[in-house]
Amino acid sequence: MNTFPFSDWIVAAIFVLCIAVTVTGALIAAFTKRIIRSVSGLAVCCLGLAGLFYFLNSPFLALMEILIYIGAVCVTVVFGIMLTEPDEPAPENFKRPFPVISPLISLAIGGAVFVGIAWLSFKQAWTAPATVTNDGSIESIGKALLTTYSVPFELISLVLLVAILGALVIARSGRTKE
Amino acid sequence: MNPAQLYSQPAPYLIVAAFLLAIGIFGLIRRRTLIGMLISGELIFAAASLNFMALNHFTAPDKSVGQIAVLFIMGIAAAEVAIALSIIIAVYRNYRSIVSKELNQLKG
């Protein structure tokens, strides 16, 4: 079946690489001090996530992840960074009230969420469906978007339009006041 | 379980999604500026998308439903980022700061 030698191990290595890129990007996004590095970490994380989507038989969503998250969301956040002063304040003029116990508490909350959900998803025996009615190709996505999900599809374009108009109004209102 | 077939199991995807959710919540607690909290919120959105995709691929009979849900999540996330950034810019104009502790006044 496999014509290329070790091809399944190469695929497994690419899969582990995608997971490593996702996890590393998330760690960069959450732990760096400067916000511009955090946005770069989010972009790296979305790149790894696109790889995981590709492994889940959805190249369309992988492309959309790169296009929307890296191309739109991260670039928009970078513009927001350029217009504001987003870096974390220096520690000497911004004292935390509990400098030792508060990172431990937030680590404990994050760790509890991770361990709990990971244990649940590892313990659960996920059963494959008995019958597959749809293979999830791009053609079937397009048909479903124009028939079954046509109303949400139109509504989300309306939501985007209203969001753009609202963003313009909100960002402009401060300027006329001064 | 063959380790070379790890990508055909649902558990690695779900554990990565749980990690993204946990680190998003951690960042949401720890970050002190509004844009940092927004980025952490995006990580939580990414965790939700990965969960939808994994469970859709491994347990749903109709493989296109989860992909459409993730498309809608992406659209909502884009709209949310636009609105949130415009609010952040308006806040920065009025306060000269987006550190969440200094935003302690309401105009009533």
Side-chain angles (χ1 to χ4, degrees), chain A residues 14-23 45-59 61-62 65, chain B residues 7 12-17 20 46 50 53-54 57-58:
Chain A
I14 294 174
F15 179 65
V16 171
L17 181 72
C18 287
I19 288 184
V21 166
T22 308
V23 169
C45 175
C46 290
L47 199 63
L49 209 60
L52 288 182
F53 284 177
Y54 205 90
F55 270 99
L56 288 169
N57 277 346
S58 177
L61 262 290
E65 178 84 18
Chain B
Y7 58 89
Y13 300 99
L14 297 175
I15 289 175
V16 170
L20 287 179
L50 186 55
M53 286 298 294
H57 180 66
F58 288 109

Side-chain angles (χ1 to χ4, degrees), chain A residues 23-91:
Chain A
V23 169
T24 311
L27 286 175
I28 292 172
F31 282 97
T32 47
K33 284 290 175 216
R34 299 187 69 98
I35 299 292
I36 188 72
R37 291 179 191 161
S38 181
V39 180
S40 311
L42 181 66
V44 170
C45 175
C46 290
L47 199 63
L49 209 60
L52 288 182
F53 284 177
Y54 205 90
F55 270 99
L56 288 169
N57 277 346
S58 177
F60 174 61
L61 262 290
L63 189 65
M64 277 297 163
E65 178 84 18
I66 292 177
L67 204 65
I68 294 178
Y69 270 93
I70 300 178
V73 169
C74 289
V75 171
T76 316
V77 175
V78 167
F79 273 108
I81 289 172
M82 285 194 267
L83 288 174
T84 58
E85 189 184 302
D87 279 337
E88 304 258 326

Side-chain angles (χ1 to χ4, degrees), chain B residues 41-62:
Chain B
E42 289 304 312
L43 284 179
I44 296 178
F45 268 120
S49 312
L50 186 55
N51 253 336
F52 263 105
M53 286 298 294
L55 291 182
N56 171 59
H57 180 66
F58 288 109
T59 64
D62 188 349

Side-chain angles (χ1 to χ4, degrees), chain B residues 62-74:
Chain B
D62 188 349
K63 305 290 186 198
S64 67
V65 176
Q67 304 188 34
I68 291 169
V70 172
L71 265 183
F72 287 154
I73 289 177
M74 285 179 188

Side-chain angles (χ1 to χ4, degrees), chain A residues 139-162:
Chain A
E139 185 187 354
S140 69
I141 294 174
K143 278 180 183 165
L145 273 179
L146 288 181
T147 55
T148 317
Y149 300 99
S150 58
V151 175
F153 186 63
E154 294 300 324
L155 277 182
I156 205 143
S157 60
L158 196 65
V159 164
L160 278 171
L161 179 67
V162 172

Side-chain angles (χ1 to χ4, degrees), chain A residues 125-136:
Chain A
W126 303 102
T127 52
T131 58
V132 173
T133 59
N134 193 334
D135 58 346

